[in-house]
Amino acid sequence: QVQLVESGGGLVQAGGSLRLSCAASGRTFSMYAMGWFRQAPGKEREFVAAMSGSGSSTVYADSVKGRFTISRDNAKNTAYLQMNSLKPEDTAVYYCASKNRYSLVNYARESEYDYWGQGTQVTVSS
């Protein structure tokens, strides 16, 4: 059974940083792209970032480009989201997800991800 467990969320002041982790088990981690999504209160879940299985390709939402960095350590079966220069509008529950294939095709489409973590809360105070 595939499991994804996020950690690293919390409360931070605007301008601060957090690093989220997503520990995966139950499938060959390096064979699947990984993504991060977020859902703010009263809003739909939205794409944040994704990385191909090898880590050679990445994509970001415009709202986080230049501030967030997605990475992965295939030896540790773990994906990361480094978030810098955080803003109050980054406040959301953040989810990691395992894509149903190696590549980043249709990376922003939730239906392309077949396993999801439980989410971790990130709150940015002004």
Side-chain angles (χ1 to χ4, degrees):
Q1 184 176 356
V2 178
Q3 284 192 319
L4 302 176
V5 180
E6 299 104 335
S7 60
L11 173 64
V12 64
Q13 288 188 332
S17 298
L18 282 175
R19 188 176 82 153
L20 306 183
S21 299
C22 174
S25 61
R27 71 186 339 180
T28 305
F29 184 70
S30 61
M31 291 183 64
Y32 300 92
M34 293 294 296
W36 288 93
F37 289 75
R38 68 186 182 186
Q39 187 167 22
K43 295 187 177 181
E44 293 188 353
R45 189 158 55 187
E46 64 176 1
F47 169 78
V48 175
M51 174 172 271
S52 62
S54 67
S56 60
S57 298
T58 57
V59 289
Y60 296 92
D62 288 343
S63 58
V64 306
K65 204 172 293 183
R67 300 188 297 121
F68 290 13
T69 303
I70 187 172
S71 62
R72 63 191 297 159
D73 185 337
N74 285 344
K76 295 183 178 180
N77 289 354
T78 301
Y80 304 96
L81 185 68
Q82 178 67 43
M83 305 185 295
N84 298 330
S85 302
L86 283 161
K87 304 175 181 180
E89 51 263 44
D90 294 319
T91 295
V93 177
Y94 283 72
Y95 299 89
C96 68
S98 181
K99 203 170 180 292
N100 59 13
R101 67 188 82 193
Y102 182 87
S103 74
L104 291 176
V105 63
N106 296 322
Y107 58 84
R109 193 176 294 176
E110 289 190 29
S111 59
E112 288 286 307
Y113 297 82
D114 48 5
Y115 294 99
W116 293 77
Q118 82 286 356
T120 186
Q121 176 71 45
V122 171
T123 303
V124 184
S125 63
S126 57

